[in-house]
């Protein structure tokens, strides 16, 4: 007999394998070759991160994993529109990097910038995972999760800024061009950051209007993304 837990784990395993396969295509197809050292290093880093992230979340906040696999009922229309814009922009970072670094060699980036990329990647992904670990309502879309008893989370990184997960994604976006050695990839990377700032503002407004206790939380934790700035 297949239990709900077994089915959930199977779905997650299938989704993870499919996700890694798709990610490999996005990284290596634009490059036009598979002997791309930076590409394999990056793929290895992402794969290792996904494994560590899964193990950590299974231990501290397993419910968030399952809920991030689906689109929750009541997702805001503006967020669905935002996702249709953000997804191709974010993926364009990898596509342009492959075209630039390997296939067409539009630009050349010095190797000493690779460690700088890793220095951005590590704290960014750590902050993103930490945010998911303390927030059981960290779904992939914006909605008020009434059926789950949605409440304000003010512990961990949420005691410093109101949307730490997005700040973590900043590190992911900005580090990728450096790790893949592409100057041109900064164009979609910066565009993805602008779109994340817009989503932060829209989500923050939604939470102010619809989530009980959020106004009081915002009066205590004043900044959305970057302390002392915004």
């Amino acid at each position: 007999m297949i239990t709900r837990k077994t089915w959930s784990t199977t779905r997650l395993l299938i989704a993870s394998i499919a996700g890694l396969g798709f990610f490999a295509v996005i990284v290596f197809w634009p490059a036009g070759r598979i002997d791309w050292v930076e590409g394999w290093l990056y793929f290895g880093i992402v794969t290792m991160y996904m494994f560590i992230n899964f193990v950590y979340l299974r231990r501290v906040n397993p419910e968030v994993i399952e809920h991030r696999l689906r689109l929750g009922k009541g997702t805001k229309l503006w967020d669905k529109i935002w996702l249709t814009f953000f997804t191709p922009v974010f993926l364009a970072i990898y596509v342009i990097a492959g075209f630039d670094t390997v296939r067409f060699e539009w630009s050349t980036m010095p190797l000493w910038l690779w460690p700088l990329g890793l220095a951005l990647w590590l704290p960014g992904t750590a902050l993103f995972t930490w945010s998911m670990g303390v927030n059981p309502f960290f779904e992939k879309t914006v909605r008020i999760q009434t059926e789950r008893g949605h409440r304000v989370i003010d512990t961990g990184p949420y005691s410093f800024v109101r949307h730490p997960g997005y700040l973590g994604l900043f590190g992911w976006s900005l580090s990728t061009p450096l790790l893949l050695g592409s100057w041109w990839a900064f164009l979609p990377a910066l565009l993805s950051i602008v779109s994340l700032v817009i989503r932060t503002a829209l989500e923050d407004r939604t939470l102010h209007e619809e989530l009980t206790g959020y106004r009081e939380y915002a009066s205590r934790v004043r900044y959305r993304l970057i302390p002392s700035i915004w």
Side-chain angles (χ1 to χ4, degrees):
M1 180 178 179
I2 299 177
T3 64
R4 180 177 178 180
K5 183 176 181 181
T6 301
W7 172 238
S8 178
T9 301
T10 302
R11 285 180 59 220
L12 179 60
L13 180 61
I14 294 172
S16 298
I17 294 174
L20 284 174
F22 176 75
F23 183 65
V25 171
I26 289 295
V27 171
F28 290 101
W29 171 79
R33 52 193 294 183
I34 62 172
D35 58 341
W36 180 22
V37 176
E38 290 91 343
W40 280 111
L41 284 174
Y42 189 83
F43 183 78
I45 291 171
V46 171
T47 301
M48 184 178 298
Y49 164 71
M50 288 182 64
F51 175 76
I52 294 173
N53 183 63
F54 171 74
V55 172
Y56 172 73
L57 292 178
R58 287 286 288 185
R59 180 176 181 180
V60 304
N61 191 12
E63 63 182 295
V64 77
I65 300 175
E66 181 177 352
H67 286 282
R68 284 184 62 81
L69 289 175
R70 57 177 182 263
L71 190 69
K73 183 179 180 180
T75 294
K76 299 299 180 180
L77 176 60
W78 61 260
D79 196 42
K80 294 178 182 178
I81 296 172
W82 180 88
L83 279 172
T84 62
F85 171 80
F86 175 77
T87 302
V89 167
F90 186 76
L91 293 178
I93 300 174
Y94 301 103
V95 174
I96 291 178
F99 284 151
D100 177 19
T101 306
V102 184
R103 190 185 291 260
F104 299 116
E105 299 181 348
W106 293 328
S107 67
T108 302
M109 183 177 288
L111 288 177
W112 63 266
L113 288 176
W114 195 92
L116 177 60
L118 188 62
L120 286 172
W121 164 271
L122 291 174
T125 52
L127 180 58
F128 187 72
T129 294
W130 187 19
S131 301
M132 284 192 288
V134 302
N135 187 359
F137 310 105
F138 199 111
E139 294 190 0
K140 62 183 179 182
T141 60
V142 176
R143 70 186 187 98
I144 302 302
Q145 302 166 42
T146 307
E147 79 286 358
R148 301 183 59 217
H150 199 168
R151 67 184 186 280
V152 173
I153 302 299
D154 58 2
T155 58
Y158 293 91
S159 62
F160 303 103
V161 292
R162 302 203 294 268
H163 302 276
Y166 295 135
L167 183 58
L169 283 178
F170 281 13
W172 186 308
S173 295
L174 289 175
S175 67
T176 297
L178 297 171
L179 291 171
L180 294 178
S182 170
W183 289 111
W184 283 104
F186 273 111
L187 292 178
L190 292 174
L191 190 57
S192 71
I193 286 177
V194 170
S195 65
L196 284 170
V197 171
I198 293 172
R199 191 195 205 194
T200 299
L202 292 173
E203 180 175 347
D204 201 69
R205 185 183 66 182
T206 298
L207 295 174
H208 265 92
E209 294 175 349
E210 301 183 30
L211 184 61
T212 302
Y214 193 82
R215 290 183 182 274
E216 292 76 11
Y217 165 65
S219 68
R220 299 194 310 271
V221 180
R222 296 177 53 194
Y223 299 100
R224 298 175 183 89
L225 285 174
I226 305 175
S228 302
I229 296 179
W230 186 71

